[in-house]
Amino acid sequence: MREIIVLSGKGGTGKTSVTAALGVLAAGKAVIADCDLDAANMHLLMQPEVLKKEAFFSGELAEIDPEACINCGMCEEVCHFDAVHQDAEVYDINPLRCEGCGYCEVVCPTNAISMHVRRSGDFFVSTARTGDPMAHAHLDAGADNSGKLVAKVKEEAKRLANQHQRDLILVDGAPGIGCPVVSSLAGVNYVVLVTEPSASGLHDLKRLVEVLQQFRLQAGCIINKADLNHDQAEAIRTFCFENGIEMIGEIPYDTAFTAAMIQGKTIVESDNQLKQIMDKIYISIQHKINVL
Amino acid sequence: MTNTGIFKLAIASGKGGTGKTLLSTNLADYLAQKQAVLLADMDVEEPNDALFFDAENKVITPQYKMIPDWQSDRCTLCGDCTRHCKFHAVIRLGDFVMVFNELCHSCYACSDLCPEQALPMKPYRMGETSHQLLNQLQLVESRLDVGQEQAVPLIYATQKYIRELENKPAIQILDCPPGTSCPVVAAVDEADFVLLVTEPTPFGLNDLKLAVDTMRQIDKAFAVVINRQGMGDDAVENWCENEGVKIAARIPYDRQLAEQYAAAKLAWRKNTALRKALEELAVLIQQKQVQYA
């Protein structure tokens, strides 16, 4: 079994569109996992039929029982997250600030504080419109995205791959370089980088590649909107060459990219230049993971 | 609300790549022609604002978070620390206590509650904040060190840095990270008003809905800016109208604007449509400043 993740550093470079296109090209062979939980969009292109929905809990939240509270203020004193406030003589927890460390619970002299498990979203097992299994999730508004739900989606994708005897797991990753990205790297065999030829695109790509190097992960790069800026595109090619990252394709700036999204389709499902380019990209990725 | 005479405007979005940085940098530069403005890049994982300005006279301040430092000579291996830590960041392995810095939330519980004071807190570098003055524009940028995973502590450290500045401009623009989870909630925490930047596509709409949910959940006043207007469909416009969400400005889809952004150039002087959008936002900011003063 091989696991491929699509990452970018910068947001909005086309990760989801590329992952979904690869999903259509690999139909019948793959499991799809959407690990960009902050902005999960894969379902818009894959129109999954949900087979199982489960609430996901991670971390804890403090709660003060006003009946037992004697307003001593110990909890406010020890909280390093500014989560405890006194409002009209009554102490209260701000759930957006509470990190669930439980320090207040330990010091409370009247046991007025208790810790409760915290819901962070829903988790789904589905069948994508390609007929392939899909693992995805929905994070609650403002929830903690520490990477635990990402890990759960990936674990489920692996289980689905075993159950349905699929050789390939295709993961759509998050932007950035923090917790959700690092959490999504466990067990990955190959990283497909999708970037754009802008100063921001290259800057963010460089930081991501540094993270990938810490995990000794092999990567290939796709430049989306490749003809937008010649100098930046060249700088990306040079950077990739110097860092042992193979160029696996360049997608020109094309209105068909957005037109496909509006129809709820991927860029390989209508007859245009994007399909030919993605076909080639898919073949080079297949070749790449076969020799891994 | 701040009630300090300072108006804090956060620029956020659900989806990445919708134009937060384009709007933040151009709006800050545009407003700074007439008044003092602070632009803070809170997207600490991937900060880009500074790419659009000359890198002159940068003052760099390292940022630390506090992590327990195990003292083997004082430790009696009682195990209190591992019981107190909810994040599994302090683990006892035989005769050793190990601290996993990346898992630690700096709550101090293990350190303060250790009966032998064997876990004093010590600073651990997580990133840095750079600060520069470009005429009337103060640019503050925080950047997480590569390999660090937690954005939230650095975002809060950046807010503290800004609060403690001597000369605080009356207008502060906060360029936020993408998404709808904890880093965004932290970044907009002190904002008086939030602009949610989106694009007129199915992805843009889906993520805008999530961002609006988040703003409503945390009780923040907000309006929407549609970038690349005309590139997709009318679904975002229609949804905003149905939901009673105000569209504060529209930036038309323009390949030249994308090219200028790609080259890290501020475009408002040459691009009249962008300038018009900024003018509208400047009026909105003036109204809000009065409202929140």
Side-chain angles (χ1 to χ4, degrees), chain A residues 260-272:
Chain A
M261 191 202 290
I262 286 169
Q263 288 169 16
K265 292 270 195 267
T266 67
I267 52 175
V268 296
E269 289 170 281
S270 52
D271 197 21
N272 58 53

Side-chain angles (χ1 to χ4, degrees), chain A residues 64-92:
Chain A
I64 302 177
D65 173 7
E67 299 289 311
C69 177
I70 53 166
N71 289 334
C72 70
M74 284 287 280
C75 48
E76 187 180 23
E77 208 169 292
V78 299
C79 180
H80 279 265
F81 308 108
D82 201 19
V84 189
H85 285 282
Q86 199 179 13
D87 215 7
E89 301 249 317
V90 180
Y91 280 92
D92 201 10

Side-chain angles (χ1 to χ4, degrees), chain A residues 9-12 16-17 38-41 43-45 60 80-81 96-97 99-103 105-106 115 138-139 141-145 176-179 182 197-200 203-204 207 210-211 214 227-229 232 253 258 261-262, chain B residues 14-17 44-48 51 84 86-87 105-109 112-113 143-144 146-150 156 178-182 185 189 201-203 206-207 210 213-214 217-218 231-233 253 255 258-259 261-264:
Chain A
K10 179 170 166 17
T16 304
S17 293
D38 262 52
N41 286 323
H43 64 281
L44 296 172
L45 298 181
E60 295 182 4
H80 279 265
F81 308 108
L96 292 169
R97 282 283 190 151
E99 302 231 349
C101 71
Y103 194 175
E105 182 195 26
V106 178
M115 303 300 293
H138 173 85
L139 207 59
D144 168 61
N145 191 4
I177 58 167
C179 309
V182 172
S198 68
S200 315
H203 168 272
D204 297 356
R207 281 166 66 80
E210 255 189 87
V211 173
Q214 290 177 354
D227 51 342
L228 188 61
N229 182 308
Q232 296 289 349
Y253 201 78
T258 308
M261 191 202 290
I262 286 169
Chain B
K15 178 168 156 45
V44 302
E45 290 180 43
E46 298 288 19
N48 293 140
L51 295 169
H84 289 311
K86 299 261 189 196
F87 310 109
H105 286 229
S106 310
C107 76
Y108 285 66
D112 294 354
L113 298 169
R143 116 188 338 254
L144 204 61
V146 172
Q148 296 294 311
E149 296 171 27
Q150 293 180 25
Y156 283 129
T180 53
S181 65
C182 38
V185 173
D189 186 45
T201 65
F203 289 6
N206 183 66
D207 299 349
L210 299 173
D213 266 356
T214 305
Q217 188 95 18
I218 62 177
M231 144 205 237
D233 56 17
Y253 173 59
R255 183 177 161 129
E259 283 172 10
Y261 177 84

Side-chain angles (χ1 to χ4, degrees), chain B residues 14-215:
Chain B
K15 178 168 156 45
T18 56
K20 284 182 298 301
T21 296
L22 170 89
L23 182 61
S24 302
T25 52
N26 280 285
L27 181 61
D29 192 59
Y30 171 79
L31 293 172
Q33 304 304 310
K34 289 182 190 155
Q35 59 201 308
V37 176
L38 181 136
L39 171 61
D41 197 337
M42 303 292 224
D43 187 3
V44 302
E45 290 180 43
E46 298 288 19
N48 293 140
D49 289 355
L51 295 169
F52 291 78
F53 299 94
D54 292 331
E56 298 167 345
N57 310 316
K58 254 187 201 172
V59 180
I60 292 177
T61 310
Q63 295 277 17
Y64 301 93
K65 62 176 187 178
M66 300 302 281
I67 298 287
D69 183 28
W70 182 59
Q71 309 289 308
S72 59
D73 52 333
R74 291 190 212 151
C75 180
T76 60
L77 299 170
C78 72
D80 276 4
C81 49
T82 60
R83 276 191 295 278
H84 289 311
C85 182
K86 299 261 189 196
F87 310 109
H88 311 292
V90 187
I91 304 283
R92 191 183 134 188
L93 290 167
D95 291 348
F96 286 88
V97 171
M98 282 187 68
V99 176
F100 294 90
N101 295 346
E102 267 317 306
L103 298 178
C104 177
H105 286 229
S106 310
C107 76
Y108 285 66
C110 65
S111 180
D112 294 354
L113 298 169
C114 173
E116 310 297 333
Q117 285 91 50
L119 284 160
M121 299 297 276
K122 71 159 189 203
Y124 169 71
R125 191 185 141 108
M126 59 178 165
E128 61 185 35
T129 297
S130 75
H131 185 195
Q132 61 186 124
L133 183 62
L134 301 137
N135 296 316
Q136 294 208 85
L137 178 68
Q138 288 197 49
L139 178 60
V140 172
E141 177 208 82
S142 280
R143 116 188 338 254
L144 204 61
D145 285 348
V146 172
Q148 296 294 311
E149 296 171 27
Q150 293 180 25
V152 171
L154 184 53
I155 292 169
Y156 283 129
T158 311
Q159 287 165 355
K160 184 164 180 279
Y161 181 93
I162 294 168
R163 272 199 306 273
E164 289 171 359
L165 286 176
E166 273 182 28
N167 295 312
K168 284 191 274 285
I171 294 183
Q172 302 187 356
I173 295 172
L174 315 172
D175 186 7
C176 298
T180 53
S181 65
C182 38
V184 182
V185 173
V188 303
D189 186 45
E190 294 189 348
D192 298 300
F193 196 79
V194 183
L195 288 176
L196 298 172
V197 188
T198 189
E199 61 176 36
T201 65
F203 289 6
L205 175 59
N206 183 66
D207 299 349
L208 174 66
K209 288 177 185 172
L210 299 173
V212 166
D213 266 356
T214 305
M215 293 308 128

